[in-house]
Amino acid sequence: MADNLSDTLKKLKITAVDRTEDSLEGCLDCLLQALAQNNMETSEKIQGSGILQLFASLLIPQSACTAKVANIIAEVAKNEFMRIPCVDAGLISPLVQLLNSKDQEVLLQTGRALGNICYDSHEGRSAVDQAGGAQIVIDHLRSLCSITDPANEKLLTVFCGMLMNYSNENDSLQAQLINMGVIPTLVKLLGIHCQNAALTEMCLVAFGNLAELESSKEQFASTNIAEELVKLFKKQIEHDKREMIFEVLAPLAENDAIKLQLVEAGLVECLLEIVQQKVDSDKEDDIAELKTASDLMVLLLLGDESMQKLFEGGKGNVFQRVLSWIPSNNHQLQLAGALAIANFARNDGNCIHMVDNGIVEKLMDLLGRHVEEGNVTVQHAALSALRNLAIPVVNKAKMLSAGVTEAVLKFLKSEMPPVQFKLLGTLRMLIDAQAEAAEQLGKNVKLVERLVEWCEAKDHAGVMGESNRLLSALIRHSKSKDVIKTIVQSGGIKHLVTMATSEHVIMQNEALVALALIAALELGTAEKDLESAKLVQILHKLLADERSAPEIKYNSMVLICALMGSESLHKEVQDLAFLDVISKLRSHENKSVAQQASLTEQRLTVES
């Protein structure tokens, strides 16, 4: 065979120049046979012989041998080491020219050759890009789209594969294809050729690649992709095929318009069916599919319109089915159920309806099952749902009397920052304007000590911020001397003073209001801590800083006046020449700030 191949390559060099078609065809057949028997070895010989350069001159539209030459190039380009030599031999430009041929076999082999040269090859893609190959292929896809005979479907499959290899994991080439309008064409292909497994698969892989790009989502949303994918999904029995569709659905469903289209196309019913079929299975594939289906369900509920459509005033079949996941024994379903409730709980109407219909008890039962050695993701999801449900004012008292605080406090010993973060947020929502509950929690020494500890969690900014906010909220909503004493004794004052310097105006404000209450109700108890935390210097800075928001300036002045009752703090105020800063604020554009500046100036003048 080796001698035979060497002879063929020598002969080919001569016949390629003479262009005697019959003997040329014989040589090409011989090469194709050798490639079929040992592709790698034959490709190495072809490269070593220098014959690749000759192929460029054989790729001419009129020749009967053109398809065979393109086929040989397609075969050798299956080897990674042959792709750059094919580019260097100048084969791309004549191959791209052949894309204008009317001969179906020439088009097929040319598409294969270009697709294989582009596979994982920057040089190959770049050369095809410069020669303008992508646009010609997209034009072919458009014009051949409606023809359903097997030969045409094979060609369409090759062209789709070529575009995929051309653009795979290359954002700029994917963006180029999107700008050329490839998406509506591929969606149309999928609709017409959904019976053809190979072409369908190729379209799905192409969608999967393109859907990762943000710029593709709008184009997808303007097609009937949702309808086509759901239609295809309903037909699939095999796990692998469904998984391929899932891989396209997940990135597409990040777009709110597409979420709604998928809901309207009936995807949710398919997902619920999968959950029902797979829930009791312990097969790995089934467990994976259950997770994918329930995760996708939760994702669809992230869109406001799609969520509201599925809620159907709390009477919807989907909402009822999701509710049934919460008491399930399957952790994945418990998690998805709690996350779905958190997503449904994104407006007051839904929250009020759910609390009135017993959702809180279901979530508390779920949390109760995960206290000791619990599943962290389930804890986090259930707490997220409770936090959202506690936002409407009318729900707070109902949730407090249902015992939510006690259920949540069981997780105080958690060492997991995501759980700590949601726990803090839930408590803060529950005590908002609930004086009795705030006082009860604020006198809970264990809780306050844990908050003070978390106020120093520098590695977890979210937990640190929420701890500070809850400390402040306990004081602001309870206005209780006992709460202030508990916080002073636990070392919380310094954190509230630091919070007044936060980069978030809302947190600064909450800190200043809490500190003003401390100064008004328990100044003697807190005096030393306020001094060592350098509160007066901080207030001076806040008032002198032009960037401070009007409400920060206003509350800082209210606090200054409240501090006058302490001899040592009063002295600090005098030493820092506050009057200069405050007299300037009398002409502040904000009326409340200007009025408070006048009052504060009078107070400081009288006291000095």
Side-chain angles (χ1 to χ4, degrees):
M1 180 74 199
D3 294 345
N4 208 350
L5 181 60
S6 303
D7 292 346
T8 301
L9 289 167
K10 279 177 194 157
K11 195 173 170 191
L12 189 55
K13 280 188 178 175
I14 300 161
T15 51
V17 178
D18 295 351
R19 298 279 168 88
T20 40
E21 297 258 330
D22 292 349
S23 49
L24 181 59
E25 194 158 357
C27 293
L28 295 173
D29 285 336
C30 205
L31 273 189
L32 282 167
Q33 209 178 343
L35 283 162
Q37 285 177 1
N38 189 332
N39 191 315
M40 197 170 173
E41 197 180 309
T42 307
S43 295
E44 282 169 348
K45 290 245 167 64
I46 288 173
Q47 190 189 1
S49 72
I51 201 92
L52 274 180
Q53 280 73 4
L54 283 176
F55 283 167
S57 64
L58 296 176
L59 291 168
I60 43 175
Q62 304 87 303
S63 166
C65 297
T66 306
K68 282 184 180 169
V69 178
N71 188 357
I72 290 168
I73 297 169
E75 288 301 317
V76 300
K78 285 178 177 176
N79 302 287
E80 193 181 347
F81 65 87
M82 289 300 286
R83 289 170 200 151
I84 293 176
C86 283
V87 175
D88 292 344
L91 299 180
I92 300 297
S93 186
L95 281 169
V96 168
Q97 288 307 308
L98 284 179
L99 288 172
N100 296 306
S101 168
K102 298 277 178 281
D103 183 307
Q104 200 159 30
E105 183 61 17
V106 171
L107 286 174
L108 184 78
Q109 299 304 343
T110 304
R112 286 185 62 234
L114 288 169
N116 290 352
I117 292 169
C118 286
Y119 185 80
D120 238 354
S121 162
H122 169 70
E123 293 76 9
R125 292 168 179 183
S126 196
V128 173
D129 179 24
Q130 280 161 9
Q135 184 67 66
I136 304 172
V137 171
I138 290 176
D139 291 343
H140 274 306
L141 288 177
R142 269 197 205 110
S143 62
L144 299 171
C145 185
S146 305
I147 306 166
T148 55
D149 67 82
N152 187 59
E153 289 194 321
K154 193 174 177 187
L155 181 58
L156 290 170
T157 307
V158 165
F159 279 160
C160 282
M162 185 234 139
L163 289 180
M164 242 173 47
N165 287 354
Y166 171 70
S167 64
N168 190 27
E169 291 182 355
N170 183 313
D171 286 0
S172 65
L173 292 179
Q174 286 178 353
Q176 178 198 75
L177 293 184
I178 290 166
N179 290 336
M180 289 174 177
V182 76
I183 288 173
T185 306
L186 288 174
V187 174
K188 198 172 165 192
L189 268 184
L190 182 69
I192 295 170
H193 302 274
C194 56
Q195 303 302 332
N196 184 304
L199 184 48
T200 298
E201 205 161 301
M202 214 44 103
C203 285
L204 287 173
V205 180
F207 290 146
N209 290 345
L210 296 169
E212 297 292 341
L213 232 68
E214 212 37 60
S215 60
S216 74
K217 305 274 180 24
E218 271 179 43
Q219 276 214 22
F220 273 119
S222 66
T223 69
N224 63 336
I225 181 84
E227 203 181 313
E228 293 298 352
L229 287 174
V230 173
K231 205 163 39 176
L232 192 64
F233 192 84
K234 285 176 178 170
K235 287 182 195 159
Q236 303 308 324
I237 303 156
E238 293 166 53
H239 168 79
D240 292 352
K241 292 276 175 13
R242 289 213 288 226
E243 195 171 15
M244 277 189 85
I245 302 172
F246 272 138
E247 279 169 14
V248 181
L249 287 169
L252 285 180
E254 285 167 13
N255 175 283
D256 281 359
I258 300 175
K259 281 187 182 79
L260 187 59
Q261 291 168 9
L262 288 168
V263 167
E264 287 171 344
L267 178 62
V268 173
E269 289 71 15
C270 300
L271 298 177
L272 289 172
E273 205 173 311
I274 288 175
V275 169
Q276 204 167 355
Q277 288 166 2
K278 312 290 179 186
V279 66
D280 298 320
S281 171
D282 48 12
K283 287 200 338 225
E284 212 169 296
D285 278 356
D286 289 346
I287 293 168
E289 202 167 346
L290 176 81
K291 179 176 175 7
T292 309
S294 53
D295 284 350
L296 187 51
M297 180 80 203
V298 171
L299 181 58
L300 291 175
L301 292 172
L302 276 173
D304 287 338
E305 280 188 83
S306 50
M307 176 273 286
Q308 210 51 43
K309 190 173 177 65
L310 293 170
F311 189 64
E312 289 182 64
K315 306 275 188 294
N317 171 41
V318 175
F319 174 65
Q320 295 303 328
R321 289 279 283 278
V322 166
L323 273 188
S324 73
W325 294 355
I326 293 173
S328 138
N329 289 321
N330 182 305
H331 280 186
Q332 173 57 34
L333 278 194
Q334 293 172 358
L335 170 64
L339 287 173
I341 296 303
N343 285 346
F344 279 126
R346 285 210 315 280
N347 63 51
D348 284 6
N350 291 6
C351 288
I352 292 164
H353 181 280
M354 287 193 279
V355 168
D356 287 346
N357 284 276
I359 190 66
V360 171
E361 290 70 17
K362 284 188 172 69
L363 289 167
M364 280 168 34
D365 288 347
L366 178 60
L367 274 176
R369 294 160 71 182
H370 288 276
V371 177
E372 302 301 329
E373 302 300 312
N375 181 306
V376 174
T377 53
V378 175
Q379 293 172 358
H380 179 259
L383 288 167
S384 295
L386 286 171
R387 180 199 175 280
N388 288 2
L389 290 166
I391 293 172
V393 178
V394 294
N395 281 358
K396 297 180 197 296
K398 292 173 188 171
M399 290 175 72
L400 288 166
S401 62
V404 173
T405 316
E406 295 73 13
V408 168
L409 284 173
K410 287 178 186 163
F411 295 90
L412 205 53
K413 52 183 183 289
S414 171
E415 292 304 329
M416 306 307 280
V419 174
Q420 297 167 352
F421 180 73
K422 287 297 175 187
L423 172 149
L424 293 163
T426 307
L427 291 176
R428 188 165 63 77
M429 284 302 156
L430 280 171
I431 62 164
D432 191 6
Q434 307 296 311
E436 201 180 314
E439 180 162 12
Q440 207 178 344
L441 279 180
K443 291 193 293 195
N444 180 331
V445 177
K446 266 192 186 152
L447 169 66
V448 174
E449 284 176 349
R450 194 71 160 134
L451 291 183
V452 170
E453 183 190 325
W454 285 340
C455 282
E456 288 165 14
K458 298 221 172 3
D459 296 344
H460 303 286
V463 173
M464 196 161 91
E466 276 293 344
S467 302
N468 278 303
R469 292 189 77 185
L470 183 52
L471 264 187
S472 151
L474 292 170
I475 295 169
R476 287 182 298 109
H477 298 304
S478 71
K479 301 182 176 57
S480 152
K481 291 184 169 208
D482 290 340
V483 170
I484 293 169
K485 283 177 189 161
T486 308
I487 289 172
V488 172
Q489 280 154 13
S490 304
I493 297 296
K494 62 181 179 196
H495 297 300
L496 290 170
V497 174
T498 307
M499 183 180 166
T501 63
S502 163
E503 58 197 25
H504 305 291
V505 173
I506 192 163
M507 285 177 68
Q508 282 186 293
N509 224 3
E510 287 171 0
L512 291 169
V513 172
L515 289 164
L517 283 165
I518 292 169
L521 297 170
E522 275 297 328
L523 187 55
T525 314
E527 184 179 44
K528 282 195 170 53
D529 288 356
L530 293 171
E531 231 176 295
S532 58
K534 306 217 171 343
L535 173 62
V536 173
Q537 289 88 323
I538 284 170
L539 292 173
H540 189 276
K541 248 190 218 153
L542 288 175
L543 288 168
D545 188 345
E546 283 176 11
R547 292 164 305 175
S548 293
E551 59 268 40
I552 301 302
K553 288 190 163 31
Y554 178 88
N555 283 323
S556 295
M557 289 188 280
V558 170
L559 182 48
I560 288 292
C561 295
L563 295 176
M564 291 293 106
S566 152
E567 206 174 310
S568 54
L569 292 168
H570 183 176
K571 187 176 182 314
E572 281 188 29
V573 171
Q574 282 177 319
D575 293 349
L576 269 175
F578 265 81
L579 277 169
D580 301 351
V581 183
I582 285 166
S583 60
K584 283 180 192 158
L585 292 176
R586 276 198 339 226
S587 55
H588 196 278
E589 59 187 1
N590 182 295
K591 278 204 181 116
S592 303
V593 172
Q595 280 173 337
Q596 188 57 42
S598 298
L599 290 172
T600 309
E601 191 178 37
Q602 284 168 20
R603 182 82 195 268
L604 291 182
T605 316
V606 170
E607 301 276 349
S608 58

